[in-house]
Amino acid sequence: MSDTMVEVISAEEIQRRVQQLGKDITELYQGEPLTVVCVLKGAFLFFADLVRSIDLPLELEFVRLASYGNGTDSGQLVFSKDLETSIQGKNVLIVEDIVDSGRSMDFLIRTFAERRPKSLRLVALVDKSERREVELTVDFPGFPLKKGFIVGYGMDYAERYRELSGIFEIVD
Ligand code: IMP
Ligand code: MG
């Protein structure tokens, strides 16, 4: 069984945008140290490229979210892997692959905010802003996307296609 896919963002376009995001982030923090948090698994490639385009003293951390509850509903969010360091008093930047309803990042931002970081911001490679169900600010949006389900550059469909260098829409 294979899926029909069309390329929507090329590997070259992604690399150009990531370099620009790295510059924007570098400028904003003015040489201050930054704790960069990768949201597993989807952000792993974006994170790997982005941290290499940021010119600041960095600390790299990883979290993973899971939801439990009944079927179709997104259910209750929990950490299946939490941070391994305190973020109190630190500049924290969350790195996410794609923000859709916004519920995952709303949970993460609220949870992190309770830990009293010095600053807390969000960078997302893809921003499906029209599908937002909660109010949420993506401080550094990579690419806007109106609709469709995409894979590649970290993002999956049933755990497939994460390794692709470009971003593809699954069509039927
Ligand atoms: P949200 O909580 O609805 O914002 O969901 C965001 C999460 O859903 C992302 O971190 C992705 O893991 C997943 N997701 C949403 N849209 C897509 C997509 O088009 N392709 C792959 N994963 C997606
Ligand atoms: Mg994700």
Side-chain angles (χ1 to χ4, degrees):
M1 206 173 73
S2 70
D3 303 294
T4 311
M5 310 200 295
V6 291
E7 188 177 81
V8 288
I9 310 171
S10 72
E12 293 71 25
E13 280 177 88
I14 294 170
Q15 291 306 322
R16 274 199 300 275
R17 188 71 187 111
V18 172
Q19 293 307 310
Q20 187 58 52
L21 288 168
K23 279 194 188 134
D24 295 347
I25 291 163
T26 301
E27 271 174 32
L28 187 86
Y29 291 95
Q30 305 249 325
E32 287 192 23
L34 181 64
T35 300
V36 194
V37 179
C38 176
V39 183
L40 295 169
K41 294 178 185 174
F44 87 104
L45 282 181
F46 177 40
F47 180 82
D49 288 335
L50 184 67
V51 295
R52 287 179 289 176
S53 73
I54 300 173
D55 184 15
L56 294 168
L58 300 182
E59 176 184 27
L60 309 186
E61 283 289 326
F62 299 83
V63 295
R64 187 158 191 218
L65 301 178
S67 58
Y68 65 86
N70 47 346
T72 54
D73 208 334
S74 51
Q76 185 74 34
L77 284 155
V78 292
F79 285 103
S80 58
K81 189 211 171 303
D82 199 344
L83 294 175
E84 292 171 16
T85 185
S86 166
I87 53 170
Q88 190 177 349
K90 294 178 180 172
N91 292 308
V92 176
L93 178 67
I94 300 168
V95 182
E96 171 67 314
D97 53 357
I98 177 164
V99 181
D100 188 25
S101 73
R103 293 192 184 281
S104 310
M105 287 308 99
D106 183 59
F107 165 79
L108 194 57
I109 288 166
R110 283 173 194 278
T111 307
F112 279 5
E114 287 172 7
R115 301 178 187 181
R116 305 258 170 268
K118 180 180 180 188
S119 68
L120 181 57
R121 292 190 177 88
L122 172 63
V123 54
L125 183 70
V126 179
D127 187 6
K128 284 183 177 174
S129 59
E130 289 177 23
R131 289 176 46 87
R132 213 52 43 84
E133 292 171 16
V134 293
E135 207 176 297
L136 185 81
T137 303
V138 180
D139 300 281
F140 304 97
F143 296 98
L145 186 75
K146 287 215 163 101
K147 58 180 175 63
F149 192 85
I150 55 174
V151 297
Y153 199 61
M155 293 172 282
D156 76 307
Y157 173 57
E159 292 304 327
R160 292 202 57 201
Y161 310 121
R162 291 193 195 274
E163 72 280 14
L164 303 176
S165 300
I167 294 178
F168 299 80
E169 183 176 354
I170 306 233
V171 291
D172 33 35

